Amino acid sequence: MTSTLERYRKNLIQEGISEETQKKLLNSKVLVMGAGGLGSGVIMNLAALGVGQIKIIDDGIIEPENFNRQLIHKIKNISRAKVISAKDWIQDFNPDIKVELDKIKINELNYFNIIQGYDVIVDCFDSYESKYMLNEIAVRHKKILIHGATKGFSGQVTTIVPDKTGCLSCVIPKPKLFKNQIFAQLSPIVSTIASIQAQEVFKVLAGIGEPLLNKLLVFDGFTSQFKTLGFSKNMACETCSNNEFIFDN
Ligand SMILES: [Zn+2]
């Protein structure tokens, strides 16, 4: 353990991070949904922080257009599964981390076994349809969800704790129809948002600092400004509000 902890020496000199805190991280399990741009930044930071077990879910393969922002993948791995490339990156960087992976597109029928044993899920999906589905799954099974999204020069992060905070649908009501829009994705913006997501994971797992609970952090990379917008649980939210009484006879 001494040699393992040596790697984290510059974590441990931070006030509030004891050896116990670091061991807590080393015993933690985090589920990363998506191994693209956000997933790359989240995985790199979680591996550096020393999150002991990381599970990566992505059904995609590496394509040339990924390299403007997806920093863990390599040219030599074009056409290989992103999850395998992500696992290779982690094992080269921090071999102590246990990696699980599944090359699968999650849906309402197959997600249950994937989330078992993981209490923190990081939303690194690129489509809003997948993000809202993940939000519903997290709320239903009381998993902490670190939401992140980017679009061109802007990005956002919030930490959703079921029964304690509002959910993604409370902040931005779920659209009735999802349009298949493709947005620009710029590496510095994606990396910034991914780093903040990893920071949220770190604070939640270590029990330090103030996570973005009922707060949406919005980053405008064009003007380099951060804003934090407060929100509260929407009592009429179709995802997280307990509306059972409506159906009570
Ligand atoms: Zn909600």
Side-chain angles (χ1 to χ4, degrees), residues 135 139 165-171 233-234 237-241:
N135 177 58
V139 168
T165 70
C167 76
L168 179 60
S169 297
C170 292
V171 200
K233 186 179 171 84
N234 173 3
C237 175
E238 61 179 33
T239 302
C240 73
S241 277

Side-chain angles (χ1 to χ4, degrees), residues 25-96:
L25 286 178
L26 290 165
N27 287 321
S28 296
K29 297 174 167 186
V30 175
L31 178 54
V32 180
M33 291 289 195
L38 290 175
S40 288
V42 167
I43 286 165
M44 290 164 97
N45 279 287
L46 296 186
L49 283 166
V51 169
Q53 185 166 323
I54 301 173
K55 185 171 184 175
I56 307 160
I57 306 296
D58 195 301
D59 71 328
I61 58 165
I62 301 166
E63 298 175 85
E65 67 167 44
N66 300 151
F67 293 109
N68 81 316
R69 66 196 186 283
Q70 301 189 14
L71 306 179
I72 53 175
H73 303 308
K74 296 191 173 77
I75 295 282
K76 68 175 184 185
N77 290 332
I78 284 178
S79 299
R80 286 185 73 199
K82 286 185 184 178
V83 285
I84 293 176
S85 162
K87 182 177 182 178
D88 288 350
W89 188 92
I90 295 173
Q91 290 186 331
D92 284 348
F93 181 74
N94 190 346
D96 296 331

Side-chain angles (χ1 to χ4, degrees), residues 210-231:
E210 296 176 20
L212 291 162
L213 306 181
N214 281 333
K215 288 176 185 165
L216 181 72
L217 182 139
V218 178
F219 176 54
D220 178 351
F222 203 76
T223 56
S224 294
Q225 291 189 72
F226 287 98
K227 273 186 207 157
T228 306
L229 312 171
F231 67 93

Side-chain angles (χ1 to χ4, degrees), residues 86-152:
K87 182 177 182 178
D88 288 350
W89 188 92
I90 295 173
Q91 290 186 331
D92 284 348
F93 181 74
N94 190 346
D96 296 331
I97 292 176
K98 189 175 171 210
V99 184
E100 287 196 307
L101 53 85
D102 211 336
K103 184 179 182 302
I104 196 169
K105 185 173 176 63
I106 70 152
N107 59 44
E108 283 289 346
L109 299 175
N110 67 12
Y111 77 84
F112 190 75
N113 288 333
I114 292 168
I115 65 169
Q116 290 309 304
Y118 288 83
D119 294 320
V120 178
I121 303 174
V122 194
D123 170 10
C124 300
F125 283 145
D126 51 7
S127 90
Y128 264 87
E129 196 166 359
S130 301
K131 287 177 180 300
Y132 280 97
M133 180 180 64
L134 190 56
N135 177 58
E136 286 166 19
I137 290 168
V139 168
R140 195 181 307 149
H141 294 280
K142 303 196 189 308
K143 307 285 184 186
I144 295 171
L145 178 65
I146 316 293
H147 162 82
T150 65
K151 178 172 130 182

